[in-house]
Amino acid sequence: MARPEVSVILPMRETGGWLRAALDSVDAQESRTEVILVGDGRKGQNADQDVVIGRPTLLQAGTAAEAIGFARGRYLTYLAPGDVYVPEGLDALVEAAVRHSADLVVGDMHGATPATGLAWRRELAFGARMVESVAGVPDILSGVATSNKIFRRDLVRVTRADLSQGALATIPLLIWASRLVLSDRLCCRTAGGEEDPSMTDTEAEIMTRLALAEIIASRCADREAVPSPLVRRAVMRWVGATHLPTIDGAAACLDDAALADFAHRTSIMFKEMPPDVLTEILTESLTVRRGRLDDGLRAVGACRGDAETIRRPVSTGRLRVLAGRVYLDAPELDAFGDLLRVTPLSAVVSRLRESAHSTQVRVHGQVMAPGFLATQGEVRPDLLLEFGDEAARAELQVTKARPGFFAWSCDVPARALPYGVVRLRLIARDRFGAEVAIPLDVMRDGRVRADLETRRVRLRVSSAGPSLVVTRKGPLRSAVAKVQAIGAAMRGVVRR
């Protein structure tokens, strides 16, 4: 009997009919294959016996490590639950491995999105090629799946890699492969039926992922195990980028003691990273995850080991304007950059009303900024409402506040409003005088008119943004308005 070219290790797990589909996809390949079924040890239903009946060539082992020990194929692969080969997909990996005498071959895979923000598939965009070190293709480390790879059996045995352990096996193999082949050929796809581990927010899963990141980080710190600085940098990028999504789950489900431990261990791990690497992975991960300020504050809390910020990512700081963008004016701004950017940031004008004695118009509005916390009653010198082109401005006073939202008001003397159309703008201005306009809209269901002694002010919305339309009132209208104001004041006295 001819020696198999590749040994395919399959977990004996029948989830939604996956095992039958996986076996069929292996049978459809033309390469000489050897299939070894192994115990899975995870949640799920064991394979029914009728799935393997009629397949006398199937071998069985208790674990993946045992299967690796007696596998006869020159190359090994582990087809993870939920994945199946496409026609000729495994054949393409084997052909590339034989042609280049490769230690490891990576092919394309559809239906799997890396939880990091690092695009491993862009390394495949240049077509089939061989590299001598993963340092030349660092982003490939972000794709730690085994289904789209085959490994030289001798390399797996030397490194003692357990292919069922995901990143714990894949990353060392990628690091030690001296002949690494990348192929843009599609070799497998995700058929479904496997629970996404990133969606399990239990304490056990979170702490397991933290331990995985710590193990990889500690191995990377060993300069003898990972001699290349470029490879160490690539591995640390993977560690940081894969661990950051875990922080949200930790904030949601860990108790105070467990979260404090999680924050402390995470900060130690992040402190081992070069500052430029840390900034790169934090910024890239934040971009993938909508780029909100609260996400950025949570990442900052993880870097500092601050469990309270991880749990409640809000800040009461002032604003800082840099290059036309709004940031929190925090001491860590230089270190964390875009993590402290106040985004999304928007505001609305909600209504107008007359203030005391009808000599001022009071403008009310709201500001929405997730992660930003104002203080009720404070006057904000960093947020100004601008009236007209002459830069007449008034500071905002916070009337109601909660995390990510605050209501505001400001009073403008009637004499400061010229007749005609007066444009409204909300300006963010920092302590250095740098400023930028914040998008301002109108809440259409609010009160949009105010009658003063000599002016009538109406709120108008146009394509150019919100504005006030100020018109003159005649003597009779002014007298009526004055009587109404006095009457309202007297009614207030009577109520008191």
Side-chain angles (χ1 to χ4, degrees):
M1 183 176 179
R3 178 182 176 182
E5 295 172 302
V6 59
S7 297
V8 181
I9 301 174
L10 287 174
M12 192 177 293
R13 190 179 190 198
E14 181 64 343
T15 305
W18 164 76
L19 182 57
R20 187 186 302 276
L23 288 169
D24 290 342
S25 73
V26 175
D27 289 342
Q29 309 298 314
E30 295 183 2
S31 303
R32 296 190 304 275
T33 59
E34 172 186 67
V35 178
I36 307 175
L37 297 178
V38 299
D40 183 68
R42 297 171 60 186
K43 293 180 181 179
Q45 182 180 355
N46 288 332
D48 295 332
Q49 288 300 315
D50 61 355
V51 175
V52 298
I53 290 176
R55 301 176 188 265
T57 58
L58 294 181
L59 303 176
Q60 295 193 26
T63 64
E66 181 182 340
I68 292 168
F70 66 72
R72 297 186 302 125
R74 181 182 177 187
Y75 292 94
L76 301 175
T77 186
Y78 182 88
L79 191 61
D83 298 338
V84 296
Y85 291 114
V86 302
E88 301 182 358
L90 182 58
D91 296 336
L93 295 179
V94 173
E95 190 274 331
V98 172
R99 185 171 69 252
H100 295 282
S101 298
D103 291 332
L104 194 156
V105 181
V106 182
D108 199 1
M109 180 178 184
H110 282 185
T113 302
T116 69
L118 307 174
W120 63 271
R121 294 181 67 189
R122 67 186 172 203
E123 299 288 10
L124 309 180
F126 300 99
R129 68 192 192 280
M130 188 188 74
V131 295
E132 295 182 353
S133 169
V134 73
V137 285
D139 283 339
I140 207 69
L141 284 170
S142 66
V144 295
T146 55
S147 301
N148 64 326
K149 302 175 180 67
I150 62 172
F151 312 89
R152 186 165 56 84
R153 184 189 59 186
D154 294 342
L155 177 64
V156 176
R157 289 178 176 175
V158 167
T159 58
R160 298 180 180 179
D162 183 346
L163 296 181
S164 66
Q165 296 299 310
L168 283 177
T170 307
I171 288 182
L173 289 168
L174 284 167
I175 290 174
W176 285 103
S178 59
R179 297 179 67 85
L180 173 62
V181 174
L182 306 184
S183 171
D184 58 354
R185 284 281 301 272
L186 177 65
C187 63
C188 64
R189 59 182 176 83
T190 296
E194 177 71 2
E195 183 181 8
D196 183 359
S198 67
M199 299 302 292
T200 14
D201 285 337
T202 66
E203 180 175 350
E205 287 287 341
I206 287 170
M207 300 312 287
T208 298
R209 293 199 292 272
L210 172 60
L212 170 63
E214 288 176 324
I215 292 171
I216 298 295
S218 64
R219 291 181 180 177
C220 179
D222 185 351
R223 294 181 180 272
E224 293 184 0
V226 188
S228 168
L230 292 177
V231 173
R232 287 199 301 272
R233 178 187 179 92
V235 175
M236 294 311 290
R237 287 181 67 204
W238 177 87
V239 169
T242 52
H243 184 58
L244 280 174
T246 307
I247 298 173
D248 291 341
C253 75
L254 299 184
D255 60 27
D256 291 344
L259 185 61
D261 178 54
F262 176 91
H264 176 66
R265 291 165 62 183
T266 297
S267 66
I268 291 176
M269 186 168 56
F270 281 175
K271 285 176 183 176
E272 298 298 324
M273 298 182 185
D276 60 328
V277 174
L278 181 60
T279 301
E280 179 183 353
I281 61 174
L282 290 174
T283 303
E284 186 170 2
S285 178
L286 184 66
T287 302
V288 172
R289 301 170 65 226
R290 302 165 299 174
R292 289 167 42 130
L293 173 62
D294 49 354
D295 287 332
L297 289 172
R298 186 162 278 158
V300 171
C303 294
R304 297 188 307 196
D306 185 352
E308 179 60 29
T309 301
I310 294 177
R311 179 85 74 193
R312 189 170 181 263
V314 295
S315 175
T316 57
R318 297 295 183 187
L319 301 180
R320 179 79 180 274
V321 178
L322 295 172
R325 297 178 175 180
V326 181
Y327 297 82
L328 285 180
D329 193 0
E332 303 94 340
L333 180 57
D334 289 340
F336 293 111
D338 282 346
L339 294 179
L340 297 177
R341 183 181 174 189
V342 184
T343 179
L345 176 59
S346 60
V348 297
V349 176
S350 57
R351 62 192 178 100
L352 303 178
R353 57 171 293 187
E354 305 88 2
S355 63
H357 309 299
S358 295
T359 59
Q360 294 180 321
V361 60
R362 178 165 294 172
V363 184
H364 294 262
Q366 301 170 0
V367 170
M368 286 68 69
F372 187 74
L373 179 61
T375 303
Q376 185 169 335
E378 71 171 333
V379 176
R380 301 217 42 117
D382 52 353
L383 288 170
L384 310 171
L385 190 63
E386 179 181 285
F387 301 86
D389 296 329
E390 299 300 323
R393 295 174 173 180
E395 296 177 344
L396 303 189
Q397 181 172 12
V398 179
T399 58
K400 185 185 300 183
R402 64 173 184 266
F405 164 90
F406 69 87
W408 54 266
S409 69
C410 68
D411 292 339
V412 183
R415 62 179 180 273
L417 296 175
Y419 296 112
V421 178
V422 180
R423 186 179 61 168
L424 292 179
R425 291 203 310 162
L426 186 60
I427 304 296
R429 184 182 65 187
D430 65 18
R431 55 194 172 97
F432 299 102
E435 59 183 47
V436 66
I438 296 173
L440 185 63
D441 205 346
V442 173
M443 186 179 295
R444 295 178 180 274
D445 57 352
R447 182 179 177 183
V448 295
R449 192 180 72 178
D451 286 323
L452 307 179
E453 286 187 351
T454 59
R455 290 170 170 81
R456 169 169 290 173
V457 183
R458 179 170 55 86
L459 188 61
R460 187 179 74 174
V461 186
S462 67
S463 58
S467 58
L468 299 178
V469 179
V470 183
T471 56
R472 190 185 304 273
K473 294 174 61 176
L476 180 59
R477 289 183 179 271
S478 298
V480 171
K482 190 169 185 178
V483 170
Q484 289 175 340
I486 294 173
M490 292 180 65
R491 286 193 296 273
V493 173
V494 171
R495 290 194 189 97
R496 288 195 293 272

